[in-house]
Amino acid sequence: MKGERPMKNLVKTEIAVKTKILSSEDGNRTYSIKKEITGITGSHAYFILLYPTRTQENCYVEDSTNNHLLNHLAELGLNSYTVINLFAQVTQSRLSLAGLTVDEENMNYIKETVFSNLTDDSKVVIAWGNSQQNSPVICQSKQRILELWESEQPSRPLYQLTVDGMKNDNIGVHPLFLGIRHSQSYWKLVEYPRKKILKELLERMKPKKNEKETKSKATEKNSAKGKKDNGK
């Protein structure tokens, strides 16, 4: 309107979030999703979660996990991150354990593409959380990841998310958990106790004493039965 003074000292800021996804042609498997934010400074991190929910068809849709990471990206000192998972099979609900085995193809991708070619300014963050932690195949997959790291990057640390005041038993906490419980806290990265966790996983995967005794008795019983049958 006539007589109004023009606004002064305005600052225009442009920020863009670039998404890059690597998936199978049929969309059933997603190996990585990278988010890169232009306009802020920082380094890069890989976050290892459980399983993907995004494909090339819906990669523009932000889920809660990505929203929480984006909200806290600057305080983590990052301007980009890549999500990889223990399993590459895309699922829109809770991961089914029925018939599930270690995802060897995905493990090879992580080894060859991520661990073996890690740049100096990239970190790897364990963020698979505690969901389904008593599942043998989940434990085996975590064990494989930690063993691959020891093989490819033995002198470099792994990291995990945390906030001040978090309990010590929250190891490898998932971004979704942290976002629900500590959305207003200052997020940071600290070293992940990989040797301790790997030792615990190896112990957990050992057959228990009762299981050994049961198998031994079953073997003796079958052996005795076989001898008896052969003697007829």
Side-chain angles (χ1 to χ4, degrees), residues 152-165:
E152 300 298 322
Q153 299 288 346
S155 63
R156 293 184 63 168
L158 287 170
Y159 293 88
Q160 62 181 344
L161 290 165
T162 192
V163 297
D164 289 337

Side-chain angles (χ1 to χ4, degrees), residues 72 74-77 162-164 178 182-188:
H72 295 271
E75 60 202 52
L76 292 172
T162 192
V163 297
D164 289 337
L178 208 61
H182 300 279
S183 63
Q184 302 303 313
S185 299
Y186 186 91
W187 290 20
K188 53 188 176 181

Side-chain angles (χ1 to χ4, degrees), residues 27 35 103 106 115 156 163 218 230:
K35 298 285 184 180
D103 193 334
N106 188 52
F115 289 0
R156 293 184 63 168
V163 297
N230 290 333

Side-chain angles (χ1 to χ4, degrees), residues 25-219:
E25 188 175 2
D26 60 11
N28 290 330
R29 293 172 66 80
T30 293
Y31 299 96
S32 67
I33 300 178
K34 183 178 181 180
K35 298 285 184 180
E36 184 176 358
I37 294 79
T38 63
I40 64 172
T41 59
S43 56
H44 176 268
Y46 290 93
F47 288 86
I48 305 182
L49 308 183
L50 271 176
Y51 57 89
T53 61
R54 294 291 173 263
T55 69
Q56 65 266 41
E57 299 295 330
N58 63 2
C59 64
Y60 58 88
V61 179
E62 298 294 2
D63 58 14
S64 298
T65 296
N66 276 307
N67 281 331
H68 289 308
L69 286 173
L70 289 170
N71 288 342
H72 295 271
L73 206 63
E75 60 202 52
L76 292 172
L78 306 173
N79 68 352
S80 64
Y81 67 89
T82 302
V83 172
I84 54 180
N85 295 278
L86 290 180
F87 304 92
Q89 185 68 34
V90 176
T91 179
Q92 301 301 328
S93 58
R94 185 179 174 86
L95 182 67
S96 173
L97 300 178
L100 191 66
T101 59
V102 175
D103 193 334
E104 296 294 347
E105 183 187 36
N106 188 52
M107 291 293 169
N108 187 62
Y109 168 79
I110 291 174
K111 176 186 176 182
E112 299 297 331
T113 307
V114 181
F115 289 0
S116 297
N117 294 288
L118 200 64
T119 58
D120 291 339
D121 65 339
S122 282
K123 297 179 176 70
V124 174
V125 184
I126 300 300
W128 48 49
N130 293 323
S131 177
Q132 300 170 312
Q133 62 179 344
N134 293 321
S135 161
V137 68
I138 298 293
C139 290
Q140 289 169 6
S141 300
K142 292 176 179 180
Q143 177 185 327
R144 285 289 301 280
I145 288 291
L146 297 180
E147 288 175 338
L148 286 174
W149 183 262
E150 289 294 329
S151 172
E152 300 298 322
Q153 299 288 346
S155 63
R156 293 184 63 168
L158 287 170
Y159 293 88
Q160 62 181 344
L161 290 165
T162 192
V163 297
D164 289 337
M166 176 167 286
K167 295 180 180 178
N168 293 332
D169 58 353
N170 280 320
I171 304 297
V173 64
H174 195 284
L176 187 57
F177 173 88
L178 208 61
I180 293 173
R181 302 291 183 89
H182 300 279
S183 63
Q184 302 303 313
S185 299
Y186 186 91
W187 290 20
K188 53 188 176 181
L189 296 174
V190 296
E191 187 169 348
Y192 178 81
R194 70 180 194 273
K195 293 185 181 295
K196 173 179 178 290
I197 299 301
L198 179 55
K199 182 179 179 180
E200 291 176 357
L201 288 170
L202 289 170
E203 287 296 322
R204 185 179 298 181
M205 295 309 297
K206 286 181 180 180
K208 294 181 175 60
K209 184 178 180 181
N210 290 342
E211 292 177 352
K212 287 183 178 180
E213 291 177 351
T214 300
K215 290 180 179 179
S216 177
K217 289 179 180 178
T219 301

